[in-house]
């Protein structure tokens, strides 16, 4: 959901072009079936950002059907992507989507609770720090009340100067105005999201930009 008028959104969307035909059809299928995926506006921004920073190792928290992981892999033919999800309904579909495409060879699909998976990755790093290769880019798009925990673990796994992007920080406007329809049902998520936004903006060792694009993005650069 965007926060501009429908006319503005439609106008901007008219200039959207999928990375290729396969991803375009994949997006259409996700949208038709109501499967969550990055909005067109968000994808366009990420495409531009990735073109600039050219990360070689990407961590994604929240896989769904695998659209964004495949987008990252197609956009960056030399990159390796690690993606995490625990949704039992989406795991088989995502696995199949990765297996059916050559880019799947560069996607490490880790199945399980994200916090547990991230903790395991931190333990792996600490056990053999010399051979560990940190992430250059992190995309967080999972349980909204856990963004602080995801971020803290991702920060440990990322190199200095890495970029972390958090999607859906506005949560359909609920983060800003709790009178929005549906906000009461998600008050816990709203509470923790607001705390997370305050946390990253209070830290002096981060460069943070909050954007209203799509459903809201937090773009964070770790200082060198």
């Amino acid at each position: 959901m965007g926060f501009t008028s429908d006319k503005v959104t439609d106008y901007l969307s008219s200039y959207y072009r999928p990375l290729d035909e396969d991803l375009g059809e994949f997006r259409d299928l996700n949208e038709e079936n109501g499967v969550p995926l990055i909005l067109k506006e968000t994808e366009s921004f990420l495409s531009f950002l990735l073109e600039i920073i050219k990360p070689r190792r990407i961590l994604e928290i929240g896989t769904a059907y695998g659209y964004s992981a495949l987008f990252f892999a197609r956009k960056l033919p030399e990159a390796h992507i690690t993606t995490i999800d625990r949704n039992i309904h989406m795991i088989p579909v995502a696995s199949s989507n990765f297996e059916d495409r050559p880019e799947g060879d560069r996607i490490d699909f880790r199945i399980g609770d994200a916090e547990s998976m991230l903790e395991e990755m931190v333990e792996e790093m600490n056990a053999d720090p010399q051979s560990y290769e940190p992430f250059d880019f992190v995309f967080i798009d999972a349980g909204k009340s856990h963004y602080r925990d995801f971020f803290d673990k991702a920060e440990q796994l990322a190199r200095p100067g890495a970029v972390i992007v958090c999607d859906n920080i506005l949560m359909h406007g609920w983060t800003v105005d709790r009178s929005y329809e549906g906000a009461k049902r998600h008050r816990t998520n709203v509470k923790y999201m607001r705390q997370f936004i305050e946390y990253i903006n209070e830290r002096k060792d981060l460069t943070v930009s909050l954007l209203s694009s799509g459903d809201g993005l937090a773009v964070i650069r770790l200082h060198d």
Side-chain angles (χ1 to χ4, degrees), residues 136 155 158-163 204-207 221-224:
D136 309 299
E155 185 178 14
R159 66 170 177 81
V163 173
K204 305 302 182 184
D205 59 337
L206 302 174
T207 299
R221 182 179 180 275
L222 308 181
H223 286 187
D224 295 325

Side-chain angles (χ1 to χ4, degrees), residues 6-103:
D6 290 340
K7 287 185 178 180
V8 172
T9 300
D10 291 343
Y11 174 75
L12 295 177
S13 294
S14 71
Y15 287 97
Y16 167 81
R17 297 292 182 272
L19 206 55
D20 55 41
E21 184 177 356
D22 176 54
L23 280 179
E25 293 175 353
F26 190 12
R27 170 176 282 281
D28 291 342
L29 181 64
N30 277 258
E31 291 177 344
E32 289 169 8
N33 292 311
V35 178
L37 78 165
I38 52 175
L39 298 175
K40 292 177 179 177
E41 190 176 348
T42 301
E43 180 182 327
S44 296
F45 171 78
L46 290 175
S47 182
F48 181 80
L49 181 63
L50 295 173
E51 187 80 22
I52 295 172
I53 63 178
K54 292 180 171 58
R56 295 184 63 86
R57 281 180 52 79
I58 295 174
L59 171 63
E60 176 186 52
I61 304 169
T63 310
Y65 277 6
Y67 178 87
S68 51
L70 286 167
F71 166 75
F72 295 146
R74 292 265 175 90
K75 179 69 181 179
L76 301 162
E78 302 300 320
H80 180 276
I81 293 90
T82 297
T83 184
I84 303 171
D85 210 305
R86 68 173 183 178
N87 189 305
I88 59 173
H89 302 293
M90 295 187 177
I91 287 168
V93 182
S95 297
S96 177
N97 286 326
F98 297 152
E99 292 169 2
D100 290 343
R101 293 168 173 84
E103 293 81 13

